[in-house]
Amino acid sequence: QVQLVESGGGLVQAGGSLRLSCVVSGSISSINAMNWYRQAPGKQRELVAGIFSDGRTNYADSVQGRFTISRDNAKNTVNLQMNSLKPEDTAVYYCRLLTVTGEYWGQGTQVPVTS
């Protein structure tokens, strides 16, 4: 059984930083990509950042230059370093794992950003 557990969320002031982590456990087949999504109140879930099996990364325009996604293969962890946070970054952040056999999601971690 594959499990994803996010951590690192919490209240932060605008301009501050947070580092989210997602630990993956269980029997995992070939990984295609790992992503961070977020869902703000009243809005649809959106892709924030992704990292592919070959190390390529992609980012939403709204976070480009402020957020950095990284992966620690030895620890089965994907991280999201978030700098220069803005109130509009307030959301629940979810980790997603995409493998050749399917996709898996974490439960989410809240990131409220105050102005």
Side-chain angles (χ1 to χ4, degrees), residues 17-93:
S17 298
L18 278 178
R19 183 178 178 85
L20 305 183
S21 293
C22 173
V23 178
V24 181
S25 62
S27 179
I28 305 168
S29 57
S30 181
I31 295 175
N32 290 339
M34 297 191 73
N35 307 108
W36 284 97
Y37 281 74
R38 68 186 180 187
Q39 187 165 17
K43 295 187 177 180
Q44 290 188 331
R45 192 172 296 189
E46 63 174 357
L47 176 66
V48 175
I51 185 164
F52 297 92
S53 57
D54 61 2
R56 288 179 298 117
T57 58
N58 65 328
Y59 298 92
D61 289 343
S62 59
V63 307
Q64 182 77 46
R66 298 188 297 122
F67 290 11
T68 302
I69 189 170
S70 61
R71 180 177 165 182
D72 186 335
N73 292 329
K75 297 181 179 179
N76 279 343
T77 300
V78 62
N79 302 303
L80 185 68
Q81 178 66 42
M82 306 187 295
N83 299 328
S84 302
L85 283 161
K86 304 175 182 180
E88 50 264 44
D89 294 319
T90 293
V92 178
Y93 284 72

